[in-house]
C-alpha cells in the first residue's frame, strides 16, 4: 500500500509535455504570447501559428501574457492540451507607447515619456497638429497667434540653442519616418502622440534629438474591423481684444486741449476706425472622411481632409487638402509583411505684409478717410513719423499667395526570421514644393513709382530616408531581453529652384502671372534670390538593449553613431550614448502591506543627444558669394557680380550636444484611481554654435566665423497627475493637472580660442533708437534677458526721466551704456489642467492653461505712447494721461516691461453621443466647442501668449497677429 501511494505521488509530481494554441477574440492565432509557470523560471512563447509546448506538472499553473492582452492563468491538472483565448486589455493598450524603433508598456519605461491619446486631444479649430498638445504635457510650451498661416512655437524643457528655426523645435517622427513634416497630417488622422523628453529616451535618434522627440502614430484598422467615419466642424472666429485707440473726435479734442491742430491734408472731417476696416469675422470649416478594414492577412485605409480657415484680418486665409492611404499585406504564413503609405498635403495660403499693415492699422490717423474723391486710396507720403501708409491700401494693393505641396511615400517590409527575431526595412521619400508669389500693384505705397512689382519664388526640397533594423525579443523564465540594432541613411536636398523680382508692368491685370510682361529699365531692377542648392547626408548606426528581470528591475542602454556631411571634416562623426534604469517597487513583496499603492516605480537615466537641425551642407566650408555692399563691378567693360569669400571655413565645427540627467517617480493609488509622475532633470548643452565669433583677418578671410564654444543649462521639475475624482454608474469626472518649472542659464559663451563676453540682441528700432538693443545674452543670465533703460517717472514738467549709469536722474534720452538688466522672458512655471465630465450620453471637457513668472517687453505700447507726435500718428486712450510735452514717452525702457503671467480657459466642449439601435451605425456625436473663452492677466497688450522661442523671446513689437475667440459646432460619426 505504501509503495503504491509513493509511486502515485511521484507520478503526480513528474513533469509532462503540455501543448496548445493561443488565439484572439476573432479566432486568429497569436504569436509572441509568453507562457510561464507561475512562481518558477520556466517559460516559452507561441510561434507564428500561435502554437506552444512546455514541460509542466499537474500541480502547476500556467500564466499566459502578452502586450495589450488580458493575462490568463490556467491550472494544468490532468490536461495535456490547453488552448487559450486572450482578450484585448483596453487599459494595457492605452499604456503602450512608441519609444523609437519599437513599443513598450508604460510600466516598463525607464525614461521620461508622455503619451497623449486621440480622445485627450484639444478640440476646436486646429490648423497645426502641435495645437492638439497645448497644455497637455508637462514641460511642453506651445504658443501661437491667431494667424492661420503661422506655425506654433514649440519649446520642450526650455531653450537649448542660440540658433533659430528648426534648431529650436523637437524632432518629429511620423509612423516611423524620422524628420517627416507634421504639416502632412490632419488632426483627425492621428491616433496618439508620444513625447520623448529626456536623453535616455531620445538618444536613439542621436544628433537631431536635443530638443526632444515627438512621435506621431496615425490611425489604423483593428483586426477584423471595417470602419467608416466622418468628422467635421464649422466655426466662427472673432478678434478677442483690440487696442483702444482714439477716435477722430477724441484725437482732435486732445490736440485742441494742448493748443495743437492737424495739417489740413490730414483732417478731412472723417472718423475712421482702421482696426475695424482690416479686421473681420473669420469663418472656418473642416471635413474629414476616413475608411478602412483589416482581415486575416491584410489591412488598408484611406482618408481625405479639407480645411478652410479664413483669418480675422482681411485677405488672410488658409485652405488645405490632405489625402492619405495605406495598405499592408502579409505573406508566407504571416512571416513577411509589406506595407505602403502615401500622404499628400496641398495648401494655399493668402497673406498680407503684416509688419506694415498691423502697425499702420494702429498708427494711421483716424481723421482721414480711406479713399479720396476719385475713389483712390488716400495717402500722405510727406508725413513723417510712424503710420505713414494707408493700412487699407497695404492690404488691398499687395497680394501674397503661397502654394505648398508636400508628399510623403513610405514603403515598409517586415520579416519574422525566427521566433522573437524580426527585421524591418523602410524607405521613405518626402517632397516639399513651395511656390511663393507676390504682386505689389501700381497703387502700392510699398513699391512707389515702379508701376507694379512681382516676386516669384519656386523651391523644391526633397528628403530620402533608408532604414533597416533588427528587433529581438525573448523571455527566459523571469528574464526578458529586447535587443535593437540598425542602420539609417538620409539625404536632404534643399533650395532646388529659383526666385526672381521684377517690375514696371503696363497694367496690373495679370499680377505675378506673367513676368515676361515686365519692363525693367535697369539690370538692378531684376534681382535673383540667393538660395544655393544644398545636399546634406546623414549616416547612422544605432543599438539598444532593454532588460527586465521579474518585472521588477529594468535596465535600458542605447548608443547611436551619427555622421553628417554638414559639419567640419574633423568632426563628422559623433557618439550619443544613454543608459537608464527602473525599479518597480510595487512588485516587491513588502508592498503587499501597503494596498493603497497600485503602482510605484523609480527610474533614473543619463544620456547625450545632439542638435544638427537647421544646417545646410556648407556650414563648415569656405563659401564664395557676393559680399555685402560690393555686389557689382566692371569686368572688361561688362557689369559682373562680385564674387568673394562670404563664410570662413571651420573644419572643427560639430553639433551641439545636450546631456540630460533625469530622475523620475511613477505612482498609482487606489487601483489607479489616482496616478501620476514626478520628474527632476538637469539638461546641459555644450558646444553651442554661434555665427559671429570674432577672428583675426590675418588668419581668416572674414572677421567672423561660425564655431562651437558656449554652454547652456536648464534645470526643472515636472509633475503630472491623472485622477478619476468621481465614478458612479452614470457619472464620471476625470481631472488631469500638470505643471513644470524650468530655470534657464547661459553658462558660458567662450572657450580657449573663441572669446565673447556678451551678445546684444533684439534691435527693435523706433524713432532715435535704431542702434539700441533690448536684450542681452550673457553668462549667468537666462536666454531672453532684458537690458533696458531704467525709467524713473516724470518730472514736474511731465517729461519722462531715467536713471543713467552714474545714478543720476536725467530728462533726456539715455545712452546705450545706461541700460541695466531688468528680468527675462523665460516662464518660471508652465501649467495645464484638463477636466472631463461624462453623464450618460453627455460629455463636458475643458482645459485651463497658463504661465507664471515671465516678462514681456510691450514695445508696441512704447511706440504708440507718443503724445508729442499726435499730429502725425494716432495714440491709444492710455496716452490721454500723458503730457503733450513728454518727448521721451515712447522710449523703450523698463517702464514697458510687464508681467507675462496669464491663466486662460483655452477650450471647453459640450457633446452628446447618439448610439442608434442599428448595427451599421456605431455612434454619432454632436458637440459645441469654444476656444480662448477668457484670459486673466495683467498684461496690457493684445495677448500675453507671446512667442518664447528664438534668440529674442517675449517681445511684442507691432507685428503680433491678434488672438481670436472661436466657437465651433461639430459632428463625429462612426459606422
Amino acid at each position: 500500500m505504501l509503495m503504491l501511494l509513493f509511486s502515485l505521488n511521484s507520478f503526480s509530481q513528474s513533469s509532462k509535455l503540455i501543448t496548445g494554441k493561443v488565439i484572439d477574440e476573432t479566432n486568429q492565432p497569436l504569436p509572441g504570447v509568453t507562457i510561464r509557470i507561475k512562481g518558477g523560471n520556466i517559460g516559452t512563447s507561441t510561434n507564428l501559428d500561435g502554437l506552444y509546448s512546455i514541460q509542466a506538472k499537474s500541480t502547476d499553473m500556467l500564466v499566459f501574457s502578452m502586450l495589450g492582452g488580458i493575462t490568463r492563468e490556467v491550472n494544468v491538472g490532468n490536461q495535456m492540451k490547453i488552448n487559450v483565448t486572450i482578450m484585448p486589455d483596453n487599459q494595457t493598450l492605452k499604456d503602450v507607447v512608441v519609444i523609437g524603433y519599437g513599443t513598450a508598456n508604460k510600466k516598463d519605461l525607464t525614461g521620461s515619456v508622455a503619451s497623449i491619446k486621440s480622445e485627450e486631444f484639444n478640440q476646436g479649430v486646429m490648423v497645426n497638429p502641435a495645437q492638439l498638445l497645448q497644455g497637455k504635457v508637462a514641460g511642453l510650451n506651445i504658443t501661437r497667434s491667431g494667424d492661420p498661416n503661422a506655425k506654433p512655437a514649440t519649446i520642450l524643457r526650455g531653450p537649448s540653442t542660440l540658433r533659430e528655426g528648426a534648431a529650436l523645435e523637437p524632432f518629429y517622427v511620423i509612423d516611423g519616418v524620422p524628420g517627416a513634416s507634421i504639416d502632412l497630417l490632419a488632426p483627425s488622422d492621428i491616433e496618439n502622440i508620444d513625447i520623448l523628453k529626456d536623453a535616455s529616451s531620445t538618444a536613439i535618434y542621436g544628433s537631431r534629438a536635443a530638443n526632444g522627440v515627438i512621435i506621431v502614430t496615425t490611425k489604423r484598422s483593428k483586426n477584423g474591423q471595417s470602419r467608416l467615419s466622418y468628422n467635421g466642424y464649422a466655426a466662427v472666429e472673432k478678434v478677442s481684444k483690440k487696442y483702444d485707440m482714439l477716435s477722430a473726435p477724441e484725437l482732435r479734442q486732445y490736440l485742441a486741449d494742448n493748443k495743437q491742430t492737424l495739417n489740413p491734408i490730414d483732417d478731412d472731417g472723417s472718423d475712421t476706425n482702421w482696426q475695424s476696416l482690416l479686421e473681420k469675422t473669420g469663418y472656418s470649416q473642416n471635413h474629414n472622411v476616413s475608411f478602412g478594414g483589416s482581415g486575416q492577412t491584410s489591412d488598408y485605409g484611406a482618408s481625405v481632409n479639407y480645411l478652410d480657415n479664413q483669418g480675422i484680418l482681411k485677405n488672410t486665409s488658409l485652405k488645405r487638402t490632405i489625402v492619405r492611404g495605406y495598405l499592408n499585406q502579409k505573406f508566407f504564413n504571416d512571416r513577411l509583411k509589406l506595407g505602403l503609405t502615401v500622404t499628400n498635403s496641398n495648401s494655399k495660403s493668402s497673406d498680407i505684409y503684416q509688419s506694415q499693415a498691423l502697425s499702420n492699422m494702429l498708427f494711421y490717423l483716424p481723421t482721414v478717410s480711406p479713399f479720396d474723391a476719385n475713389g483712390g486710396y488716400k495717402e500722405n507720403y510727406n508725413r513723417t513719423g510712424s503710420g505713414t501708409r494707408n493700412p487699407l491700401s497695404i492690404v488691398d494693393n499687395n497680394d501674397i499667395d503661397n502654394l505648398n505641396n508636400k508628399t510623403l511615400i513610405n514603403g515598409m517590409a517586415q520579416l519574422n526570421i525566427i521566433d522573437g527575431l524580426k527585421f524591418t526595412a523602410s524607405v521613405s521619400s518626402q517632397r516639399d514644393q513651395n511656390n511663393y508669389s507676390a504682386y505689389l500693384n501700381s497703387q502700392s505705397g510699398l513699391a512707389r513709382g515702379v508701376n507694379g512689382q512681382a516676386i516669384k519664388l519656386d523651391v523644391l526640397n526633397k528628403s530620402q530616408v533608408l532604414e533597416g533594423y533588427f528587433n529581438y525579443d525573448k523571455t527566459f523564465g523571469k528574464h526578458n531581453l529586447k535587443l535593437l540594432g540598425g542602420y539609417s541613411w538620409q539625404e536632404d536636398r534643399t533650395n532646388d529652384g529659383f526666385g526672381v523680382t521684377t517690375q514696371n508692368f503696363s497694367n496690373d491685370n495679370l499680377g505675378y502671372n506673367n513676368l515676361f510682361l515686365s519692363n525693367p529699365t535697369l539690370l538692378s531692377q531684376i534681382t535673383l534670390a540667393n538660395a544655393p542648392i544644398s545636399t546634406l547626408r546623414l549616416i547612422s548606426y544605432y543599438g539598444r538593449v532593454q532588460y527586465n528581470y521579474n518585472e521588477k528591475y529594468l535596465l535600458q542602454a542605447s548608443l547611436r553613431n551619427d555622421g553628417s556631411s554638414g559639419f567640419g571634416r574633423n568632426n563628422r562623426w559623433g557618439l550619443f550614448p544613454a543608459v537608464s534604469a527602473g525599479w518597480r517597487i510595487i512588485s516587491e513583496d513588502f508592498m503587499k502591506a501597503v494596498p493603497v499603492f497600485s503602482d510605484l516605480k523609480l527610474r533614473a537615466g543619463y544620456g547625450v543627444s545632439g542638435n544638427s537641425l537647421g544646417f545646410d551642407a556648407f556650414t563648415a566650408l569656405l563659401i564664395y558669394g557676393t559680399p555685402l555692399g560690393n555686389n557689382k563691378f566692371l569686368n572688361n567693360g561688362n557689369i559682373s557680380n562680385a564674387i568673394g569669400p562670404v563664410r570662413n571655413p571651420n573644419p572643427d565645427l560639430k553639433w551641439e550636444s545636450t546631456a540630460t540627467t533625469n530622475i523620475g517617480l511613477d505612482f498609482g493609488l487606489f487601483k489607479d484611481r489616482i496616478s501620476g509622475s514626478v520628474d527632476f532633470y538637469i539638461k546641459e548643452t555644450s558646444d553651442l554654435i554661434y555665427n559671429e565669433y570674432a577672428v583675426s583677418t590675418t588668419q581668416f578671410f572674414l572677421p567672423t566665423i561660425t564655431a562651437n564654444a558656449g554652454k547652456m543649462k536648464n534645470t526643472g521639475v515636472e509633475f503630472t497627475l491623472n485622477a478619476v475624482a468621481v465614478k458612479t454608474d452614470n457619472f464620471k469626472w476625470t481631472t488631469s493637472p500638470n505643471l513644470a518649472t524650468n530655470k534657464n542659464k547661459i553658462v558660458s559663451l567662450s572657450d580657449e580660442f573663441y572669446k565673447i563676453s556678451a551678445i546684444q540682441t533684439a534691435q527693435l528700432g523706433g524713432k532715435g533708437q535704431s542702434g539700441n538693443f533690448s536684450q542681452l545674452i550673457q553668462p549667468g543670465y537666462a536666454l531672453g534677458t532684458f537690458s533696458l533703460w531704467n525709467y524713473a517717472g516724470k518730472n514736474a514738467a511731465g517729461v519722462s526721466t531715467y536713471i543713467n549709469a552714474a545714478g543720476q536722474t536725467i530728462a533726456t534720452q539715455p545712452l546705450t551704456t545706461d541700460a541695466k538688466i531688468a528680468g527675462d522672458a523665460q516662464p518660471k512655471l508652465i501649467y495645464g489642467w484638463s477636466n472631463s465630465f461624462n453623464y450618460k450620453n453627455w460629455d463636458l471637457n475643458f482645459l485651463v492653461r497658463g504661465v507664471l513668472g515671465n516678462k514681456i517687453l510691450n514695445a508696441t505700447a512704447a511706440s504708440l505712447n507718443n503724445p508729442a507726435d499726435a499730429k502725425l500718428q494716432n495714440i491709444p486712450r492710455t496716452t490721454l494721461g500723458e503730457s503733450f510735452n513728454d518727448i521721451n514717452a515712447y522710449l523703450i525702457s523698463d517702464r514697458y516691461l510687464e508681467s507675462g503671467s496669464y491663466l486662460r480657459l483655452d477650450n471647453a466642449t459640450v457633446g452628446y453621443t447618439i448610439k442608434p439601435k442599428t448595427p451599421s451605425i456605431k455612434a454619432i456625436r454632436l458637440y459645441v466647442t469654444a476656444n480662448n473663452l477668457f484670459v486673466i492677466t495683467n498684461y496690457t497688450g493684445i495677448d500675453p501668449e507671446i512667442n518664447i522661442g528664438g534668440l529674442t523671446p517675449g517681445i511684442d513689437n507691432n507685428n503680433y497677429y491678434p488672438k481670436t475667440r472661436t466657437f465651433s459646432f461639430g459632428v463625429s460619426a462612426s459606422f
Side-chain angles (χ1 to χ4, degrees):
M1 180 71 71
L2 288 173
M3 291 177 63
L4 179 61
L5 289 173
F6 179 78
S7 62
L8 288 172
N9 183 64
S10 298
F11 177 77
S12 66
Q13 295 299 318
S14 63
S15 61
K16 55 185 178 180
L17 183 66
I18 305 298
T19 62
K21 186 176 184 179
V22 181
I23 58 175
D24 62 14
E25 75 277 15
T26 62
N27 295 322
Q28 299 298 316
L30 284 175
V33 178
T34 299
I35 302 99
R36 60 181 178 86
I37 296 175
K38 189 173 184 178
N41 296 322
I42 300 175
T44 186
S45 59
T46 57
N47 62 16
L48 294 175
D49 297 320
L51 302 175
Y52 75 94
S53 63
I54 189 173
Q55 292 286 337
K57 299 175 183 178
S58 300
T59 55
D60 288 337
M61 178 176 288
L62 297 184
V63 180
F64 297 78
S65 61
M66 65 170 291
L67 187 65
I70 297 176
T71 300
R72 291 284 306 277
E73 295 184 355
V74 179
N75 287 312
V76 174
N78 296 326
Q79 302 178 84
M80 300 291 291
K81 187 173 184 178
I82 301 176
N83 297 327
V84 172
T85 300
I86 291 185
M87 304 299 291
D89 185 347
N90 292 328
Q91 182 59 45
T92 302
L93 288 173
K94 289 182 179 180
D95 291 338
V96 175
V97 296
V98 182
I99 58 173
Y101 307 106
T103 60
N105 195 290
K106 193 173 183 179
K107 68 182 179 65
D108 296 328
L109 293 175
T110 55
S112 181
V113 181
S115 185
I116 305 297
K117 308 301 180 185
S118 57
E119 59 267 24
E120 302 171 295
F121 290 161
N122 290 325
Q123 298 190 40
V125 178
M126 300 294 163
V127 177
N128 187 285
Q131 295 173 257
L132 301 171
L133 303 177
Q134 279 186 304
K136 296 289 187 178
V137 179
L140 183 66
N141 195 359
I142 300 173
T143 57
R144 181 181 177 271
S145 73
D147 187 353
N149 298 311
K151 290 184 62 176
T154 306
I155 304 292
L156 179 64
R157 289 186 167 182
S160 58
T161 185
L162 299 180
R163 297 179 291 122
E164 305 278 0
L168 298 165
E169 298 284 324
F171 184 62
Y172 287 95
V173 180
I174 300 176
D175 287 336
V177 180
S181 172
I182 190 67
D183 294 329
L184 276 163
L185 295 180
S188 296
D189 290 335
I190 299 175
E191 181 67 34
N192 62 274
I193 301 176
D194 299 292
I195 301 94
L196 313 185
K197 297 182 180 181
D198 66 331
S200 66
S201 303
T202 64
I204 195 64
Y205 288 105
S207 64
R208 296 169 290 180
N211 297 317
V213 178
I214 296 180
I215 301 179
V216 182
T217 302
T218 58
K219 292 179 179 178
R220 304 279 167 148
S221 300
K222 295 179 175 60
N223 194 24
Q225 178 194 67
S226 61
R227 58 178 178 83
L228 173 65
S229 64
Y230 167 79
N231 291 279
Y233 63 76
V236 59
E237 294 185 83
K238 290 183 175 292
V239 175
S240 58
K241 183 180 179 181
K242 298 183 180 184
Y243 276 102
D244 191 8
M245 306 300 294
L246 295 187
S247 66
E250 291 170 333
L251 179 60
R252 294 186 187 102
Q253 185 62 49
Y254 175 77
L255 292 173
D257 292 343
N258 289 279
K259 298 180 175 57
Q260 303 292 323
T261 58
L262 289 162
N263 188 325
I265 195 176
D266 293 328
D267 189 358
D268 58 14
S270 298
D271 182 12
T272 304
N273 187 324
W274 295 104
Q275 290 185 82
S276 297
L277 285 178
L278 266 65
E279 296 171 350
K280 62 184 177 67
T281 299
Y283 297 97
S284 301
Q285 58 178 315
N286 188 87
H287 307 278
N288 183 280
V289 178
S290 66
F291 66 90
S294 177
Q296 185 173 352
T297 60
S298 65
D299 63 284
Y300 63 91
S303 67
V304 177
N305 192 95
Y306 175 72
L307 168 69
D308 182 2
N309 183 220
Q310 301 295 322
I312 48 81
L313 285 184
K314 189 178 179 182
N315 294 351
T316 62
S317 64
L318 171 66
K319 294 182 179 181
R320 177 184 295 153
T321 302
I322 298 176
V323 180
R324 175 177 167 268
Y326 70 89
L327 173 65
N328 297 307
Q329 181 68 47
K330 297 177 181 179
F331 301 92
F332 308 120
N333 293 324
D334 299 342
R335 189 172 292 274
L336 175 65
K337 180 181 179 181
L338 300 178
L340 178 66
T341 302
V342 179
T343 307
N344 177 262
S345 171
N346 190 284
S347 301
K348 179 181 180 181
S349 62
S350 297
D351 207 347
I352 59 177
Y353 285 93
Q354 293 189 22
S355 61
Q356 293 284 337
L358 291 173
S359 60
N360 281 271
M361 178 178 72
L362 304 178
F363 286 113
Y364 207 74
L365 290 172
T367 54
V368 294
S369 64
F371 306 101
D372 58 26
N374 298 320
Y377 292 88
K378 181 170 288 188
E379 301 275 14
N380 180 8
Y381 295 126
N382 295 321
R383 187 192 308 136
T384 59
S386 302
T388 58
R389 298 289 185 272
N390 184 326
L392 193 62
S393 173
I394 293 173
V395 170
D396 290 343
N397 291 321
N398 304 283
D399 296 327
I400 300 176
D401 294 314
N402 199 67
L403 298 176
N404 180 264
N405 189 281
K406 290 183 175 71
T407 302
L408 175 64
I409 301 175
N410 181 38
M412 179 272 297
Q414 193 174 87
L415 177 64
N416 291 311
I417 302 173
I418 58 174
D419 290 349
L421 180 62
K422 179 172 61 179
F423 174 73
T424 303
S426 68
V427 179
S428 66
S429 176
Q430 180 173 294
R431 292 172 56 91
D432 185 350
Q433 183 80 44
N434 197 68
N435 186 300
Y436 173 93
S437 303
Y439 187 70
L440 293 73
N441 69 25
S442 58
Q443 304 302 311
S444 170
L446 304 181
R448 294 175 58 200
V450 301
N451 294 320
Q453 184 181 74
I455 305 169
K456 292 285 289 186
L457 182 66
D458 200 346
V459 174
L460 173 64
N461 300 318
K462 295 190 296 184
S463 178
Q464 295 176 302
V465 181
L466 171 65
E467 295 219 74
Y469 53 92
F470 291 90
N471 286 102
Y472 181 69
D473 187 349
K474 194 66 175 178
T475 298
F476 308 91
K478 296 182 179 180
H479 308 271
N480 178 258
L481 183 66
K482 293 183 178 181
L483 301 176
L484 166 72
Y487 166 84
S488 176
W489 175 91
Q490 182 168 343
E491 179 181 277
D492 296 332
R493 181 179 172 88
T494 57
N495 286 331
D496 190 352
F498 75 96
V500 62
T501 301
T502 186
Q503 63 185 46
N504 198 6
F505 292 82
S506 59
N507 59 68
D508 296 321
N509 293 336
L510 292 180
Y512 51 69
N513 290 300
N514 190 347
L515 303 189
F516 178 78
L517 295 179
S518 65
N519 298 282
T521 56
L522 298 172
L523 183 62
S524 60
Q525 294 176 355
I526 302 177
T527 58
L528 302 177
N530 185 8
I533 296 174
S534 169
T535 300
L536 180 69
R537 294 186 181 91
L538 182 74
I539 294 177
S540 308
Y541 304 90
Y542 51 87
R544 181 176 63 208
V545 57
Q546 296 167 269
Y547 174 69
N548 180 335
Y549 175 71
N550 201 26
E551 298 192 356
K552 290 183 182 179
Y553 310 111
L554 313 169
L555 178 67
Q556 176 176 300
S558 67
L559 181 66
R560 181 164 179 135
N561 191 21
D562 276 350
S564 172
S565 65
F567 290 92
R569 62 177 179 269
N570 298 332
N571 283 306
R572 288 280 169 83
W573 291 86
L575 283 173
F576 300 95
V579 62
S580 57
W583 176 25
R584 297 203 72 239
I585 306 173
I586 192 65
S587 298
E588 299 290 352
D589 291 338
F590 61 78
M591 289 301 297
K592 295 178 181 178
V594 195
V596 66
F597 281 96
S598 51
D599 189 22
L600 191 62
K601 180 178 66 175
L602 180 66
R603 46 186 168 76
Y606 172 83
V608 180
S609 53
N611 191 346
S612 64
L613 298 174
F615 285 98
D616 59 37
F618 314 124
T619 304
L621 303 178
L622 172 64
I623 299 300
Y624 284 85
T626 301
L628 291 176
N630 185 23
N631 51 11
K632 302 288 182 183
F633 73 101
L634 197 61
N635 181 16
N636 293 326
N638 297 316
I639 298 177
S640 300
N641 286 320
I643 296 179
V646 295
R647 181 186 291 168
N648 281 320
N650 185 355
D652 295 319
L653 187 68
K654 58 184 176 181
W655 28 59
E656 299 167 337
S657 295
T658 298
T660 304
T661 300
N662 194 100
I663 300 174
L665 180 70
D666 300 327
F667 60 88
L669 301 170
F670 309 113
K671 296 182 180 180
D672 283 347
R673 282 286 295 269
I674 301 175
S675 62
S677 63
V678 181
D679 282 270
F680 169 76
Y681 65 86
I682 301 174
K683 188 171 77 166
E684 298 178 290
T685 302
S686 57
D687 300 320
L688 286 176
I689 296 173
Y690 182 59
N691 296 328
E692 300 292 332
Y693 282 106
V695 290
S696 171
T697 53
T698 61
Q699 294 177 281
F700 295 89
F701 291 101
L702 301 169
T704 60
I705 194 172
T706 300
N708 307 89
K711 295 182 180 179
M712 190 186 302
K713 184 178 181 180
N714 287 276
T715 306
V717 176
E718 297 170 347
F719 174 73
T720 300
L721 185 69
N722 298 289
V724 181
V726 179
K727 186 177 182 179
T728 66
D729 291 340
N730 295 321
F731 180 73
K732 182 179 179 182
W733 171 28
T734 303
T735 183
S736 303
N738 71 82
L739 56 88
T741 67
N742 185 76
K743 183 179 181 180
N744 175 266
K745 184 175 73 172
I746 304 294
V747 178
S748 68
L749 293 173
S750 307
D751 61 11
E752 298 81 7
F753 187 78
Y754 302 107
K755 305 291 184 181
I756 190 169
S757 59
I759 301 171
Q760 291 183 310
T761 59
Q763 191 170 1
L764 306 182
K767 188 173 66 173
Q769 303 173 88
S770 58
N772 293 355
F773 295 89
S774 296
Q775 287 185 340
L776 191 69
I777 301 174
Q778 183 174 309
Y781 296 94
L783 184 67
T785 293
F786 293 99
S787 178
L788 301 166
W789 289 327
N790 189 191
Y791 179 68
K794 298 179 183 296
N795 62 16
V799 177
S800 295
T801 63
Y802 306 88
I803 300 175
N804 64 15
Q808 302 168 328
T809 300
I810 59 176
T812 57
Q813 180 169 327
L815 303 175
T816 56
T817 54
D818 293 329
K820 297 179 181 179
I821 299 296
D824 64 76
Q826 299 299 330
K828 304 300 184 292
L829 178 70
I830 305 169
Y831 61 89
W833 182 31
S834 301
N835 287 272
S836 177
F837 302 87
N838 296 88
Y839 176 72
K840 294 185 178 179
N841 291 352
W842 290 92
D843 62 85
L844 168 65
N845 303 277
F846 71 84
L847 168 69
V848 173
R849 64 178 178 89
V851 301
L852 288 172
N854 61 310
K855 296 291 186 180
I856 297 175
L857 178 59
N858 193 346
T860 302
S863 57
L864 287 171
N865 188 31
N866 194 356
D869 277 353
K871 294 187 297 182
L872 305 173
Q873 62 193 50
N874 199 11
I875 56 176
R877 190 170 307 282
T878 53
T879 302
L880 292 177
E882 307 280 320
S883 170
F884 185 82
N885 299 320
D886 192 352
I887 59 173
N888 297 330
Y890 65 90
L891 294 177
I892 296 175
S893 68
D894 57 8
R895 175 189 181 184
Y896 299 103
L897 192 64
E898 304 182 33
S899 169
S901 301
Y902 68 87
L903 180 151
R904 186 191 308 278
L905 180 54
D906 197 54
N907 63 67
T909 300
V910 177
Y912 183 79
T913 301
I914 304 170
K915 295 184 177 180
K917 294 181 180 180
T918 172
S920 60
I921 302 177
K922 293 182 180 179
I924 298 175
R925 179 173 177 264
L926 309 176
Y927 65 90
V928 177
T929 296
N931 295 97
N932 188 27
L933 281 129
F934 66 80
V935 58
I936 300 174
T937 182
N938 290 325
Y939 182 63
T940 61
I942 288 291
D943 195 276
E945 191 172 317
I946 301 295
N947 189 338
I948 64 165
L951 288 183
T952 57
I955 294 178
D956 179 352
N957 191 35
N958 300 332
N959 58 356
Y960 190 64
Y961 196 106
K963 286 283 286 188
T964 63
R965 181 167 293 115
T966 307
F967 299 92
S968 55
F969 172 76
V971 178
S972 297
S974 56
F975 307 94

